[in-house]
Amino acid sequence: SSSSSSSSSSSSSSPPYFPPPLPDVVSYNTLLGSAAQRSSWQEAIHLLVQMSTDRLRPDVIGFNSVVDACRRQSSWESGLALLEDMSVHRVSPDAITIATAMAACKGHE
């Protein structure tokens, strides 16, 4: 009888299993913001594509980060192409998107 109670207590002492969290838009936005801060526009674009693979729809915050990453590397063509991608994803640009895209194009008239 005591052996059965000791085996049940050892199984209850193991920590519960929690599966790893699934990626969500907020976690992707954090990664996109980090890529933008490091001026890694190619990484940011890759992450944006990966969001679709994970069946997540990017939001304006994520797009703004990617446009900013493009601006930081003077990749204005990619920044403007992202404005088109926003419409494909049914995301409306905001004032930050427009100002960042304009800054990316500055000097490239």
Side-chain angles (χ1 to χ4, degrees), residues 4 6-7 9 12 14 18 21 30 49 58 60 74 80 90 95-96 104 107:
S4 65
S6 66
S7 66
S9 67
S12 65
S14 62
F18 295 107
T30 302
V49 170
V60 70
S74 299
L80 290 180
R90 297 187 177 130
I96 294 170

Side-chain angles (χ1 to χ4, degrees), residues 38-58:
R38 294 188 323 275
S39 304
S40 300
W41 67 272
Q42 292 171 323
E43 177 188 349
I45 289 174
H46 173 76
L47 286 166
L48 209 56
V49 170
Q50 186 63 43
M51 284 184 81
S52 295
T53 303
D54 287 340
R55 297 184 177 169
L56 295 171
R57 191 169 67 114

Side-chain angles (χ1 to χ4, degrees), residues 2-20:
S2 65
S3 65
S4 65
S5 66
S6 66
S7 66
S8 65
S9 67
S10 66
S11 65
S12 65
S13 66
S14 62
Y17 172 74
F18 295 107

Side-chain angles (χ1 to χ4, degrees), residues 35-41 67-75 104:
Q37 290 295 315
R38 294 188 323 275
S39 304
S40 300
W41 67 272
V67 172
D68 186 45
C70 293
R71 176 193 63 81
R72 290 170 183 258
Q73 283 297 308
S74 299
S75 181

Side-chain angles (χ1 to χ4, degrees), residues 60 64 67 83 86 92-103:
V60 70
N64 286 349
V67 172
L83 294 178
M86 289 179 80
S92 298
D94 62 9
I96 294 170
T97 315
I98 301 303
T100 306
M102 289 174 63

